[in-house]
Amino acid sequence: ESCSSSSEQVTPRNLSCRSYISAGRSPLNMGNTSWQIVVHYMLPVPLVLVGLVAIPMPKALRKPSLALVDWCLNIKINDVPVVPILLFVSLTMFCGLCVETAKPFNKPDNLSPNQEMALRARKWRSERNFWISFFVLVLWLMLYRIRSIRKYILELEAKVEQLEGDKKVEKTEKKKEEPVKNPGEKKEE
């Protein structure tokens, strides 16, 4: 494909990677906003991890799934834990959007219908972002709580298995200690 000249306007029809770059845009960042980052990265990660921890699984898969979730939650970049930073960012976004959403909707009287719709769209967008940030924050908090509950359940199951194993050992020791009686012997009365 040929690159478009600098005088030609870049439109989706004549858009190639080279023309996009020549227009001053990066092909890797084709309009990413902070909300696209939230929706594409900060939302799916806790959603998948909550699913891994919360979905009932066979006994053989419980520990590996919890280990995978623990590994994901303990990822560090340059000795800085990533998940607490993401949790802080989602909390900050949520608090900021609480303030923005709580603002009253003031509409001047002399607006055209298009201007009024633009104001309403901005308000609706902030409300949508409020609910997205709320959902992300709740997912992170749910993930930590469900993970701690799942760990506790696995510890209790291990204790129960240990106690059942000890009980079986005691039963077999008692059977070994009891004298063997002949079936032909009569009971003494």
Side-chain angles (χ1 to χ4, degrees), residues 14-175:
N14 64 4
L15 186 65
S16 69
C17 185
R18 287 175 42 192
S19 65
Y20 203 78
I21 292 170
S22 67
R25 297 182 180 98
S26 165
L28 299 176
N29 185 11
M30 293 187 172
N32 277 343
T33 65
S34 61
W35 284 105
Q36 287 175 332
I37 292 169
V38 168
V39 169
H40 293 295
Y41 300 107
M42 289 180 66
L43 180 64
V45 171
L47 190 61
V48 168
L49 294 178
V50 164
L52 271 174
V53 174
I55 291 175
M57 292 188 177
K59 206 171 209 177
L61 293 178
R62 290 180 194 159
K63 283 186 181 179
S65 67
L66 189 61
L68 177 65
V69 169
D70 283 341
W71 179 81
C72 289
L73 293 178
N74 292 325
I75 291 176
K76 294 181 180 179
I77 297 176
N78 293 333
D79 293 330
V80 177
V82 174
V83 173
I85 292 172
L86 294 176
L87 186 61
F88 176 74
V89 167
S90 62
L91 178 65
T92 305
M93 291 173 70
F94 175 71
C95 291
L97 286 166
C98 284
V99 171
E100 187 177 333
T101 306
K103 290 179 185 175
F105 181 67
N106 296 330
K107 179 183 80 165
D109 294 333
N110 57 352
L111 291 180
S112 71
N114 288 340
Q115 292 171 331
E116 182 180 340
M117 188 53 95
L119 281 176
R120 287 180 190 257
R122 180 178 291 158
K123 181 72 173 172
W124 293 333
R125 198 173 309 117
S126 69
E127 289 172 0
R128 178 205 60 198
N129 293 344
F130 166 81
W131 289 110
I132 291 172
S133 67
F134 177 72
F135 185 58
V136 168
L137 181 63
V138 167
L139 274 176
W140 282 113
L141 297 175
M142 263 179 38
L143 176 61
Y144 275 103
R145 184 64 185 144
I146 292 173
R147 183 187 69 147
S148 65
I149 290 171
R150 181 61 68 153
K151 279 185 173 182
Y152 181 69
I153 288 172
L154 286 176
E155 289 173 7
L156 290 179
E157 286 176 348
K159 286 181 183 178
V160 166
E161 287 176 4
Q162 181 184 4
L163 291 174
E164 286 176 348
D166 291 347
K167 198 173 185 180
K168 287 180 183 177
V169 170
E170 287 177 8
K171 284 183 180 179
T172 56
E173 287 177 2
K174 283 184 182 179
K175 286 183 181 179

